Amino acid sequence: MAILVEKHPGYRQFTLNRPDRLNALTSEMGEALLAALDEAERDPGCRAILLTGVGRGFCAGQDLTEVMPTEAGPPDLGPLLDGYNAVIRKLRALPMPVVCAVNGVAAGAGANLALACDIVLAAKSASFIEAFAKIGLIPDVGGTWTLPRLVGAARARALAILAEPLPAERAAAWGLIWQAVDDDALMPEAQALTARLAQQATVGIALTKRALDAAETNTLDVQLDLERDLQDEAARTPDYAEGVRAFLEKRAPKFTGRR
Ligand code: LHQ
């Protein structure tokens, strides 16, 4: 299985599993990941997702043996990218938080897959490489959208054009990711974080994701109205009532994640 699926209480862990190729992506893996995300979304018991990779790499991007130009000409990359783009769209729109634990090198589409997740932790030994320029391509799978928003125009341009590895600790210092953690601590910390998120007010988190993504193109005026409408939706959830009650009663809230 190119993607391992583990069901934990409240969340699912998806692990890219082609360690001999540093988990380089194939079209089949893209389809499997999309199907796994769809299934998680349909499961009311699943309130968070953790994405990681087996072995010493997180993901080395597209498996280049699958997209070799031949004497007949270049391969048609469109259908392949449509498949990966569906994964990126799904990750952003999923009504639950997605944590990524970058266990090793994340290159090309692998880096941009990680950066599409909501909270990215990386092992200190990991690095991010916008490797595309080295083979004459442009950053894809959302990279040209994500990079400047996370690190600003100057750093985004240098990362994309130079294609140099960015070590995890600098990635965290630059705001590309949330945190760099000791290698041994990565999976325990990522699993504890995802389990904790799975007990939070899931609808509120889903609406927060929606508001932050919409803010990328909205004016302040439009965004203020959107915040008002989404807040109204959040306030109608049982988790809002429970959150306020728990605060006033000075106890930990018990959220259901339901509407
Ligand atoms: C690989 C790969 C790989 C196959 C390592 N493919 N085998 C493009 C086209 C179409 C549509 C979709 O979108 C895209 C977007 C992209 O993702 S383009 C960018 C593709 N990725 C790259 O260009 C990165 C290629 N890999 C590397 O530069 C290095 O492997 C890195 C820097 C990631 C890691 O270096 P090392 O730690 O030195 O490992 P390695 O190079 O020895 O790799 C281990 C094995 O994995 C090796 O096979 P071998 O048989 O020699 O043990 C590599 O050939 C294989 N591998 N990446 N993308």
Side-chain angles (χ1 to χ4, degrees), residues 22 28 33-34 49 55 62 73 84 91 97 104 130 160 178 180 217 256:
L22 301 179
E28 183 204 336
L33 187 53
L34 185 62
I49 283 170
Q62 170 62 38
Y84 297 145
L91 286 171
E130 293 293 326
W178 172 234
T217 49
T256 63

Side-chain angles (χ1 to χ4, degrees), residues 29-206:
M29 277 167 88
E31 282 163 23
L33 187 53
L34 185 62
L37 292 170
D38 277 338
E39 209 186 309
E41 188 178 6
R42 284 194 299 269
D43 174 3
C46 181
R47 291 167 59 191
I49 283 170
L50 174 58
L51 177 65
T52 190
V54 173
R56 73 179 181 87
F58 168 69
C59 175
Q62 170 62 38
D63 187 318
L64 294 174
T65 63
E66 206 184 41
V67 289
M68 297 258 293
T70 65
E71 280 172 15
D76 179 6
L77 301 181
L80 193 55
L81 275 174
D82 282 340
Y84 297 145
N85 289 347
V87 172
I88 301 301
R89 289 189 174 102
K90 174 62 69 179
L91 286 171
R92 301 299 293 197
L94 265 182
M96 66 187 80
V98 183
V99 175
C100 186
V102 178
N103 51 299
V105 66
N112 294 336
L113 172 66
L115 298 179
C117 297
D118 296 309
I119 300 184
V120 185
L121 305 180
K124 284 185 181 166
S125 66
S127 59
F128 295 81
I129 315 176
E130 293 293 326
F132 309 87
K134 288 194 174 159
I135 53 170
L137 293 181
I138 70 156
D140 60 13
V141 194
T144 58
W145 189 90
T146 312
L147 285 170
R149 285 170 166 80
L150 291 173
V151 297
R155 285 171 170 167
R157 277 173 194 250
L159 286 172
I161 292 170
L162 298 175
E164 287 174 3
L166 184 72
E169 284 178 282
R170 195 175 312 156
W174 283 11
L176 187 74
I177 63 168
W178 172 234
Q179 265 176 6
V181 301
D182 288 336
D183 287 20
D184 292 350
L186 178 70
M187 286 318 292
E189 281 202 23
Q191 288 181 326
L193 175 67
T194 315
R196 180 153 64 84
L197 284 168
Q199 297 191 327
Q200 301 303 306
T202 313
V203 176
I205 294 174

